Amino acid sequence: MFRILTLILVLSASAASAQDRAAVERQFRSWLQGEILPAAQTQGVSRATFDAAFRGVTLNWDLPDLAPPGAEVRTPKRQRQAEFGAPERYFNRGSVDGATRIGREMARRHAATLAAVERQTGVPGRIILGIWGRESGYGRVSIPHDAFEVLGTKGFMSTRAEYFTRELIAALKVAEAGHAPPGAMKSSWAGALGQPQFMPSSFLDYAADGDGDGRADIWRSEADTIASIGNYLARHGWVPGRDWGFEVRVPATVSCTLEGPDQARPIADWARMGIERVSGKPFPDSELRGMGSLLMPAGRHGPAFIVTPNFYVLKDYNMSDLYALFVGHVGDRIAYGMGDFSGEWGDVDGLYRSDVAAMQRALQEMGYDVGGADGLAGFKTRRSIGRWQEARGQAATCFPDASMESTLRP
């Protein structure tokens, strides 16, 4: 009898859930017709384009960060963030070697296009290849989702609905312009399009025609992909003739709390402080006069770098320090045959983002600028930890670890 009752309850719950989803699906269709279509039409999107985009599209309930109407939004209390808890994982052997090996092949295959884009934009071909490899494996990684399904779902019921609604309208404008071949409007789970993984608004602003056919097809055209990445970086301020950065040795006399673009100084000044390139070569004369910043993505637990303003242009593509570092590193390996970083990533304790956020809140209450209590150990958090350590008479490591949890509590 108990089993029968349990089964009835389960079936009833499933039926109720199905009814709830069906109701939400109806709300979704009403939202598309009542809000998205009129908004898109005011920006030049035709009814035919709209109908084609949403033909057969339903809500994708498997996407992350959804907030269905009437549902309670729950945020996981403890969440691992490997990119910051253990930075070396970002540079795993397979990712680095694969991006380098295929990147060299692509450098040979597309030498003429890469050279032409570099002449037009000032962005080195190796940097374009580094981004292309990281974003889509040079077009070899499957991009499985229907862009309108993803953006429609997220625009209707995600925790960032307003942002994704804007991107949905932008995607409709892309379709209206006819850049994508039929059936090619594929995206990531977050709505990023094509081989360079542009959000639709970025496509409208930066996509470029690299093969001269009058379209910017970042799904199937490698030349358009190369041109689009170069145009994006150039428009975001890439400085021609400057490198992205150099791996260095930072003596103990130079505090890791000096990290960050807001503490930039001429590279000649860093050299006078005793910072040297790990290669043993001097900084190029052309770079000595330029501004450079200290970057220590794992604090004293990993490699260190002097980076130029071009490093922060790479961060405009993706706001992660490790992303920009990966792109520059792989580009150097492709073009110059460079090996691994000289500095070793230390054995950093894996932390949950909630743990790091708790430390950030504690530091904020003490007056430190950590850049927001988001659970991500960016440069402001790293150097604030170092300043807190120095204030306590400790050697600064400038990176969170589990031993700090008991003393760094809000």
Side-chain angles (χ1 to χ4, degrees):
M1 183 66 180
F2 177 75
R3 290 183 179 179
I4 294 174
L5 180 59
T6 300
L7 179 60
I8 291 172
L9 291 173
V10 169
L11 291 175
S12 298
S14 298
S17 177
Q19 289 174 355
D20 289 345
R21 288 197 174 190
V24 174
E25 290 282 358
R26 289 192 294 272
Q27 292 178 52
F28 173 56
R29 303 309 304 186
S30 297
W31 175 75
L32 289 175
Q33 296 292 331
E35 295 188 31
I36 300 304
L37 175 58
Q41 288 177 322
T42 63
Q43 298 194 40
V45 176
S46 68
R47 178 75 197 225
T49 295
F50 176 88
D51 288 344
F54 289 104
R55 187 172 296 121
V57 168
T58 58
L59 291 169
N60 185 338
W61 295 86
D62 295 326
L63 295 174
D65 302 322
L66 298 184
E72 180 182 354
V73 179
R74 295 183 179 181
T75 302
K77 292 183 179 180
R78 294 174 72 80
Q79 177 184 6
R80 284 201 179 277
Q81 177 71 1
E83 181 177 328
F84 292 94
E88 75 275 11
R89 296 180 193 171
Y90 206 92
F91 298 89
N92 67 78
R93 187 81 277 149
S95 294
V96 172
D97 287 352
T100 302
R101 183 183 68 257
I102 301 172
R104 288 172 180 160
E105 176 187 331
M106 291 297 180
R108 292 188 294 270
R109 183 184 303 178
H110 300 289
T113 300
L114 288 162
V117 172
E118 182 168 350
R119 286 194 299 271
Q120 293 165 3
T121 66
V123 180
R126 74 182 197 279
I127 297 298
I128 294 173
L129 289 168
I131 287 180
W132 188 14
R134 185 66 193 178
E135 292 296 340
S136 66
Y138 307 98
R140 301 185 181 197
V141 173
S142 174
I143 302 172
H145 298 290
D146 181 290
F148 295 107
E149 177 186 271
V150 169
L151 293 168
T153 299
K154 286 183 164 286
F156 177 65
M157 60 172 195
S158 83
T159 55
R160 299 173 64 201
E162 184 176 345
Y163 166 76
F164 284 106
T165 297
R166 291 196 301 271
E167 293 298 339
L168 175 58
I169 301 293
L172 287 166
K173 292 173 68 175
V174 172
E176 180 70 28
H179 291 288
M185 281 287 282
K186 298 296 185 180
S187 77
S188 70
W189 63 265
L193 304 174
Q195 296 187 44
Q197 288 290 274
F198 279 178
M199 292 303 291
S201 59
S202 289
F203 179 98
L204 294 174
D205 289 338
Y206 308 113
D209 175 15
D211 55 20
D213 67 353
R215 297 189 307 179
D217 178 3
I218 61 172
W219 295 268
R220 301 182 187 181
S221 170
E222 294 175 330
D224 290 0
T225 295
I226 290 168
S228 297
I229 295 171
N231 186 48
Y232 183 100
L233 296 176
R235 295 273 299 279
H236 279 78
W238 185 273
V239 182
R242 295 208 66 184
D243 211 320
W244 66 268
F246 309 89
E247 187 183 0
V248 297
R249 294 188 182 89
V250 179
T253 52
V254 176
S255 174
C256 55
T257 63
L258 295 177
E259 183 182 6
D262 52 350
Q263 300 188 102
R265 62 187 72 196
I267 290 179
D269 289 358
W270 292 114
R272 280 190 286 271
M273 294 167 67
I275 291 179
E276 300 175 335
R277 294 177 65 184
V278 298
S279 65
K281 300 177 182 179
F283 292 103
D285 289 341
S286 59
E287 294 283 4
L288 286 172
R289 296 183 299 275
M291 301 297 282
S293 306
L294 181 62
L295 173 74
M296 301 181 75
R300 289 286 182 180
H301 299 302
F305 307 87
I306 294 295
V307 296
T308 76
N310 284 339
F311 178 85
Y312 296 98
V313 174
L314 295 179
K315 284 192 66 175
D316 284 333
Y317 209 102
N318 181 309
M319 283 305 295
S320 165
D321 286 335
L322 298 181
Y323 175 93
L325 190 57
F326 184 97
V327 167
H329 180 56
V330 166
D332 288 349
R333 292 169 71 98
I334 290 170
Y336 308 135
M338 294 176 64
D340 294 338
F341 294 133
S342 176
E344 295 185 1
W345 300 103
D347 184 17
V348 178
D349 290 329
L351 290 169
Y352 293 102
R353 283 183 58 173
S354 55
D355 298 328
V356 177
M359 295 182 193
Q360 291 170 321
R361 288 191 292 272
L363 288 165
Q364 282 180 322
E365 290 189 3
M366 289 185 277
Y368 292 98
D369 177 10
V370 298
D374 56 4
L376 305 178
F379 75 88
K380 288 186 177 181
T381 292
R382 295 194 295 264
R383 72 188 185 194
S384 290
I385 288 173
R387 290 167 179 169
W388 171 77
Q389 290 170 319
E390 289 179 347
R392 291 166 56 88
Q394 300 172 343
T397 65
C398 296
F399 203 77
D401 64 61
S403 68
M404 299 174 187
E405 286 191 81
S406 60
T407 50
L408 265 181
R409 283 291 178 185

